[in-house]
Amino acid sequence: MIKKNKNGYTLVEVTVALAVFAILVTVASGIIISGGNIFAANTNRVNASRISNSVYNILNDRLSFATRIDLTKNEFSPASNGYSECIKIAKKDTETASSDDRVAIRRENGLSFDGVCDTGKYDVTVKFERVEKTSADKNKMTLLYLTIDVYSQGELKYSKNGLIELLNSDCEITGIDGEASNEIEDLYINYSLAN
């Protein structure tokens, strides 16, 4: 009579255990990979949101007190009266994401543009859409509407619609026709401040 070995596992038991283990590993790796993708997408969106807010804050801080804004020039063009500055926003370039793409400011006595917002691998598009003047007698102001889109590798990651309250209700704005954008070429925002 043949004695059965009670101390080991049969080939069928080992095969079933390995199959169950392989299924569990496959499911777990799928969960880990999808979790990593979700984390990367959220990180991308948070970074794009941060860049969008930084660009908006720069534009809002610099333009709120402007007496004149000109979006028609393709270079720094100082005004003859008052103090002038220029914000340059590098054109959107979906082909090559360069760390040189940034928002820069040139002051009247400055020789070159100083980078103030490095967008890294993200492309930023700023589009000035329209101007409205408020009719309230006490708090007259001009509202400048804009959209800031942030792209990564040609895909839109974050879009921010905003407005800048120009505290000088008589601010002269040229070049606002929905076409003032850095979609095709660098956008130069020349503006003057009161003396």
Side-chain angles (χ1 to χ4, degrees):
M1 181 184 309
I2 300 176
K3 280 178 139 185
K4 289 188 177 180
N5 185 0
K6 299 282 184 183
N7 295 334
Y9 296 101
T10 66
L11 182 59
V12 173
E13 291 173 327
V14 171
T15 305
V16 169
L18 285 175
V20 169
F21 180 72
I23 291 170
L24 291 175
V25 167
T26 303
V27 169
S29 64
I31 291 171
I32 290 170
I33 289 171
S34 68
N37 291 341
I38 290 170
F39 178 77
N42 284 339
T43 301
N44 234 347
R45 184 167 166 76
V46 166
N47 287 338
S49 169
R50 181 184 48 80
I51 289 170
S52 173
N53 288 331
S54 296
V55 172
Y56 173 78
N57 289 337
I58 290 167
L59 293 172
N60 190 45
D61 290 346
R62 307 308 297 179
L63 299 179
S64 289
F65 298 99
T67 57
R68 181 187 65 86
I69 299 173
D70 187 355
L71 299 163
T72 62
K73 307 281 195 264
N74 59 0
E75 61 184 0
F76 179 39
S77 178
S80 57
N81 56 342
Y83 178 80
S84 298
E85 290 186 354
C86 182
I87 299 173
K88 175 187 173 187
I89 303 175
K91 73 176 180 175
K92 175 179 170 271
D93 183 4
T94 56
E95 296 297 319
T96 58
S98 169
S99 61
D100 293 335
D101 295 338
R102 62 179 182 260
V103 178
I105 293 178
R106 181 170 175 184
R107 290 160 182 85
E108 191 163 270
N109 297 326
L111 300 176
S112 63
F113 284 91
D114 298 324
V116 294
C117 182
D118 188 351
T119 62
K121 66 176 184 165
Y122 296 90
D123 289 316
V124 176
T125 300
V126 177
K127 183 173 186 178
F128 290 93
E129 296 175 348
R130 69 183 194 278
V131 175
E132 287 182 8
K133 301 228 182 223
T134 60
S135 58
D137 290 335
K138 286 185 178 178
N139 298 322
K140 282 189 175 181
M141 66 176 62
T142 303
L143 303 177
L144 180 58
Y145 290 86
L146 59 108
T147 300
I148 301 171
D149 293 329
V150 181
Y151 297 83
S152 177
Q153 298 175 345
E155 183 181 337
L156 180 65
K157 295 297 180 185
Y158 190 80
S159 183
K160 177 184 182 80
N161 294 323
L163 65 89
I164 297 173
E165 296 177 349
L166 304 174
L167 302 178
N168 182 355
S169 62
D170 296 327
C171 181
E172 175 190 341
I173 303 173
T174 54
I176 296 282
D177 52 7
E179 299 299 322
S181 170
N182 63 319
E183 189 79 39
I184 297 172
E185 59 187 7
D186 293 344
L187 176 63
Y188 291 82
I189 306 166
N190 284 283
Y191 59 99
S192 299
L193 301 170
N195 286 334

